[in-house]
Amino acid sequence: MAIFIMLFPLAIFSDKLKEPWLLICLGVIVPTALLLGEPIYNSVMDSYEAVKQQRPGSTRVRQALANIAVQRWQMEAPIWGHGVVELGPKMVEFMPIGSHHSWYGLLFVKGIVGALALAIPMIISALYFLWHALTSKTSQIAFCLLTVFICYSFFENLEILSYLFWPALLWFGFAFSEKDKSN
């Protein structure tokens, strides 16, 4: 739900970040949100807990898988990871460790090296697309698509979703190969 709430303002305003009226609006909205931060935070957390309570068994299994992945990664293979996916214990219904979250899965299977191999290109690409979104609709769309990737990486395993997001990867290629129009 948070992805869709966040995408509409990104799609509408990411090409207008240098315009004074948007900066003035942000100058008013951000301090107001900070002053009202606690009620907003409580409302968001209540909504998040309500969503989690819809499927408490799934939430329990996901949290247990995350705890096992992080604990085994830290204790057994912090740099390079385990190299293979392993089945979890009975308490997680024998689900593969790290299978429900890209970052825990990367830490468990590929170690800190694998996690950084995904995080660094994502951060650099996001900054590149955000900067070029000011002048290019292609980069603006690529930024929104990458935002969806980043959000999904915290809840799903991106490898499993590859059949869905390959068109976005093509769009990233278009955005990276586009000539800078400001020159």
Side-chain angles (χ1 to χ4, degrees):
M1 290 187 314
I3 295 171
F4 297 115
I5 292 169
M6 187 173 56
L7 275 181
F8 289 118
L10 276 177
I12 294 170
F13 297 116
S14 63
D15 62 336
K16 297 170 179 52
L17 287 175
K18 285 188 175 178
E19 295 191 20
W21 67 268
L22 182 63
L23 296 175
I24 291 169
C25 288
L26 284 174
V28 171
I29 292 170
V30 170
T32 304
L34 290 174
L35 290 172
L36 301 173
E38 187 175 359
I40 292 171
Y41 175 78
N42 289 336
S43 173
V44 168
M45 292 312 292
D46 289 344
S47 299
Y48 177 67
E49 288 299 320
V51 169
K52 283 176 43 177
Q53 293 306 315
Q54 295 295 319
R55 296 181 60 200
S58 174
T59 301
R60 180 192 57 79
V61 168
R62 283 178 174 270
Q63 189 58 48
L65 281 169
N67 292 340
I68 291 169
V70 170
Q71 184 180 27
R72 290 205 44 211
W73 162 70
Q74 288 175 337
M75 297 298 180
E76 298 171 9
I79 297 175
W80 298 105
H82 289 84
V84 294
V85 175
E86 296 178 14
L87 289 180
K90 170 74 172 112
M91 72 181 281
V92 292
E93 308 298 332
F94 302 108
M95 291 268 200
I97 298 171
S99 62
H100 286 65
H101 191 292
S102 286
W103 300 105
Y104 295 138
L106 280 171
L107 287 172
F108 182 77
V109 177
K110 311 269 194 252
I112 193 71
V113 172
L116 290 175
L118 179 62
I120 292 170
M122 268 189 171
I123 292 167
I124 292 171
S125 297
L127 294 173
Y128 177 87
F129 292 147
L130 180 61
W131 178 257
H132 288 278
L134 299 172
T135 58
S136 166
K137 284 291 187 192
T138 306
S139 292
Q140 182 183 6
I141 294 168
F143 179 68
C144 291
L145 291 171
L146 186 59
T147 302
V148 172
F149 269 32
I150 292 169
C151 292
Y152 268 125
S153 74
F154 290 103
F155 305 110
E156 298 293 335
N157 189 337
L158 291 178
E159 292 173 357
I160 294 170
L161 297 174
S162 62
Y163 70 97
L164 291 174
F165 67 68
W166 68 268
L169 295 175
L170 290 174
W171 196 267
F172 294 166
F174 294 145
F176 280 126
S177 66
E178 191 175 57
K179 299 286 186 229
D180 189 9
K181 294 178 182 173
S182 63
N183 290 339

